[in-house]
Amino acid sequence: DGGITQSPKYLFRKEGQNVTLSCEQNLNHDAMYWYRQDPGQGLRLIYYSQIVNDFQKGDIAEGYSVSREKKESFPLTVTSAQKNPTAFYLCASKPGGLRDSHTEAFFGQGTRLTVV
Amino acid sequence: GENVEQHPSTLSVQEGDSAVIKCTYSDSASNYFPWYKQELGKRPQLIIDIRSNVGEKKDQRIAVTLNKTAKHFSLHITETQPEDSAVYFCAASRGTASKLTFGTGTRLQVTL
């Protein structure tokens, strides 16, 4: 469905634990993104990657980490340093990367993370 | 960095009326402006986009206008229908930077 898959759909984490959210795409897209969605705050960019083995911080990167070892995969780790991690996380990808930013971004179905 | 502001945060219209959502951006180098629709419980999906070399684009009941001088762009939905009810996000990006910055969203409610 859409070629970009996030897992799991729901995730519960105890305070002080790190947790990793998965994002996989089979669209051969260069660029991948992680957004956090909170009520009334829209989509805020956490990290993005324009090409394999490279990524940049977004607007709210503190407490998060990513890797881009494969073109298809862009996992997000929510660390214990993230003070308010409960949110809905969306991964997106789009073609072009460094070459062309004027293309549609496709979103995954999201992961709802709850800290218990 | 880019900052995108979006208004209103909520909008209620009667079926058949028009709806207008407005966004402003801060980075004069931004040149791509997509609009996404997110239905309840679903992922955001692109509904229309516009590039900076175009002032207006229309697709059936949806249109987007861009004023580069004033750095604002708007989404217009005519003859609204109940299935138009959703959250709409504007976004902006520039050149090859590929960073896509979103507005805070507008919750549109179309009433019968």
Side-chain angles (χ1 to χ4, degrees):
Chain A
D1 183 15
I4 178 165
T5 303
Q6 289 184 243
S7 61
K9 190 172 182 180
Y10 299 98
L11 188 57
F12 296 88
R13 187 195 95 175
K14 292 182 179 179
E15 282 193 34
Q17 286 183 337
N18 292 355
V19 64
T20 298
L21 283 59
S22 170
C23 180
E24 304 276 335
Q25 53 98 1
N26 60 4
L27 302 168
N28 199 34
H29 287 172
D30 289 314
M32 296 187 74
Y33 306 79
W34 274 106
Y35 289 92
R36 170 177 171 147
Q37 186 172 22
D38 297 284
Q41 297 196 54
L43 302 174
R44 293 184 291 167
L45 184 63
I46 304 172
Y47 269 97
Y48 66 108
S49 168
Q50 296 173 302
I51 198 168
V52 176
N53 293 321
D54 185 50
F55 50 83
Q56 289 82 40
K57 292 183 179 180
D59 300 314
I60 55 165
E62 186 176 352
Y64 300 97
S65 65
V66 294
S67 62
R68 188 82 187 279
E69 298 176 359
K70 299 187 298 181
K71 189 175 187 178
E72 304 79 19
S73 179
F74 191 41
L76 173 74
T77 297
V78 184
T79 74
S80 56
Q82 170 50 236
K83 298 306 178 188
N84 185 24
T86 294
F88 188 58
Y89 292 86
L90 282 163
C91 177
S93 72
K94 68 185 185 77
L98 288 169
R99 296 185 299 278
D100 181 8
S101 68
H102 297 178
T103 52
E104 177 180 358
F106 292 86
F107 284 84
Q109 290 185 306
T111 293
R112 187 165 297 280
L113 173 64
T114 302
V115 173
V116 297
Chain B
E2 175 68 277
N3 182 47
V4 178
E5 295 189 357
Q6 182 172 349
H7 300 280
S9 57
T10 59
L11 180 59
S12 182
V13 300
Q14 285 195 322
E15 185 179 6
D17 288 348
S18 295
V20 180
I21 302 170
K22 299 181 179 181
C23 289
T24 60
Y25 60 98
S26 61
D27 187 350
S28 57
S30 288
N31 52 16
Y32 175 63
F33 308 93
W35 286 87
Y36 284 80
K37 176 183 180 181
Q38 186 179 27
E39 297 178 4
L40 189 63
K42 296 189 177 181
R43 69 188 79 189
Q45 292 191 302
L46 181 74
I47 55 171
I48 196 168
D49 57 13
I50 191 167
R51 289 152 176 74
S52 61
N53 58 345
V54 175
E56 184 174 358
K57 183 177 179 180
K58 191 173 182 179
D59 183 3
Q60 299 182 343
R61 297 186 296 108
I62 294 173
V64 58
T65 59
L66 172 65
N67 183 327
K68 285 184 63 180
T69 303
K71 289 191 284 188
H72 67 70
F73 55 113
S74 300
L75 177 71
H76 304 253
I77 306 174
T78 59
E79 300 172 20
T80 54
Q81 301 168 2
E83 51 265 40
D84 293 329
S85 296
V87 178
Y88 292 81
F89 293 98
C90 62
S93 71
R94 64 179 177 95
T96 57
S98 208
K99 179 181 176 183
L100 193 59
T101 301
F102 283 83
T104 50
T106 297
R107 182 173 298 278
L108 174 64
Q109 181 69 43
V110 179
T111 59
L112 297 173

